[in-house]
Amino acid sequence: MLLLHTNQKKKMNRKILSHYYYFALSILLVLVQVSCSPNYTNHSEEWKQEKIESLSTQYARNYPDVRNISAEELQKLQQQEDVILVDVRTSEEMEVSMIMGAISRAEFEREQDKYKNYTIVPYCTIGNRSIAYAEQLQERGFNVFNFQGSILSWTHVGGKLVNSTGITNRIHVSERKWELAAENYQMVW
């Protein structure tokens, strides 16, 4: 009977050690994954801008008929004519910040006839969602440019962002791989 009890204790101890082993292994894997995930905050501003340019150029290849506009070109265009910036991101993203003077996609759609004679510039985080929307607007006859690099590029030219309380330096990104905003901006996800 004593031998049986000792064997049960050994089995139980092995089972407990096994659980601790798997728990420790799981923690180790999470730490490795976090340490290996892209963290762009440690890169130079120039590197971030090149990354934004590279990614947004890749997206643009899928929409060869849509005209693109850079952040610098957009700032110049805004000085020459009335431009309607249309934020196509989610409401959660827009609550964190929007480009000053922009309207939501929903607002634009409700009053689209009002904007027929304006240049329309949709934007999102980096330009993927906005270029798809720009194509739709172009097909509907609007004078449209996709904002290449979108709100991330805007931060690199010192563009102002606002939220319900006023000017902000916060920008919503969906995950760490989009931490490409300029140095003085805070990424939120």
Side-chain angles (χ1 to χ4, degrees), residues 77-107:
L77 185 64
Q78 286 178 311
Q79 294 172 358
Q80 298 167 1
E81 62 183 86
D82 289 329
V83 175
I84 306 301
L85 288 165
V86 180
D87 194 327
V88 302
R89 299 174 304 147
T90 66
S91 58
E92 291 81 17
E93 291 171 290
M94 290 186 286
E95 284 175 20
V96 173
S97 65
M98 292 176 70
I99 294 176
M100 185 179 279
I103 61 174
S104 69
R105 179 179 179 168
E107 184 179 345

Side-chain angles (χ1 to χ4, degrees), residues 66-67 119-122 133-135 137-138 142-146:
V66 175
R67 297 178 298 169
T119 299
I120 311 301
V121 180
Y133 187 58
E135 181 182 60
L137 292 177
Q138 186 174 299
F142 285 95
N143 179 29
V144 63
F145 289 93
N146 174 54

Side-chain angles (χ1 to χ4, degrees), residues 42-68:
N42 296 328
H43 291 288
S44 71
E45 295 301 298
E46 183 178 320
W47 184 92
K48 290 177 184 179
Q49 289 173 317
E50 288 172 3
K51 186 72 173 173
I52 293 167
E53 177 71 25
S54 170
L55 290 168
S56 59
T57 299
Q58 287 176 15
Y59 301 141
R61 286 188 193 125
N62 296 324
Y63 300 89
D65 296 331
V66 175
R67 297 178 298 169
N68 287 284

